Amino acid sequence: MEEIKRLLLEEKAKLLSDIREKTENNLKNKDIGDAIDSSVEEQERELDLLLQDREQVRLEGIEIALKRIESDDFGYCEECGEDISKKRLLAVPLARMCINCQSNIERSRLAQNAFTRADYSSQVLSEE
Ligand SMILES: [Zn+2]
């Protein structure tokens, strides 16, 4: 388990420095951004924000995993409660499900996505 904890801590440090670097870049770009104000730059900024969100979510996942390691609650499948194999945890430290449940869920999610796309226009209307 120490090995996985170390992996998570490394990942966390990397994410934190990535996020810090991007925030600094964003601050630096702000002054120039006002003058240039091109749509391309606007798109890039949106993409940055999106990536930052994703990193933030990942960071939270790592925090949760680290807490679970501390309280000996780590490495169990959220679906069936079975141990997640150590091999899987080393490959995917943030895995919250065993390989069986994960692939079941991915399969049903794929089916759902296909359905959502086909039904997209009516869904947008009904969400309002
Ligand atoms: Zn499971």
Side-chain angles (χ1 to χ4, degrees):
M1 214 44 98
E2 282 303 309
E3 214 174 337
I4 293 163
K5 191 175 169 183
R6 191 176 48 81
L7 270 178
L8 285 169
L9 286 172
E10 272 173 19
E11 182 78 21
K12 183 181 165 184
K14 190 173 162 289
L15 271 174
L16 280 175
S17 73
D18 273 5
I19 291 173
R20 204 172 304 138
E21 202 175 296
K22 271 196 198 124
T23 313
E24 276 168 19
N25 279 342
N26 278 350
L27 287 177
K28 256 182 256 163
N29 286 340
K30 232 175 209 168
D31 302 329
I32 317 163
D34 286 340
I36 298 173
D37 198 24
S38 71
S39 64
V40 173
E41 194 163 321
E42 198 64 35
Q43 278 172 4
E44 271 172 15
R45 216 175 297 164
E46 264 168 42
L47 191 68
D48 270 358
L49 284 177
L50 201 73
L51 287 175
Q52 217 163 326
D53 270 0
R54 225 174 277 165
E55 277 159 0
Q56 214 70 264
V57 167
R58 198 166 162 77
L59 194 63
E60 273 164 34
I62 290 171
E63 296 281 6
I64 290 169
L66 283 169
K67 263 183 211 139
R68 283 192 172 167
I69 289 176
E70 294 301 324
S71 60
D72 255 348
D73 190 25
F74 180 78
Y76 300 104
C77 174
E78 283 184 0
E79 278 295 306
C80 66
E82 293 289 319
D83 288 359
I84 301 173
S85 73
K86 200 187 168 198
K87 198 177 142 205
R88 174 160 163 75
L89 286 173
L90 283 173
V92 193
L94 293 185
R96 289 153 85 171
M97 277 174 265
C98 71
I99 195 89
N100 285 337
C101 295
Q102 183 79 48
S103 56
N104 279 345
I105 280 184
E106 264 161 25
R107 218 171 298 146
S108 65
R109 207 179 278 165
L110 273 181
Q112 216 168 11
N113 278 350
F115 174 74
T116 311
R117 220 172 295 143
D119 200 34
Y120 182 67
S121 51
S122 63
Q123 202 189 23
V124 168
L125 288 175
S126 62
E127 263 175 18
E128 283 297 306

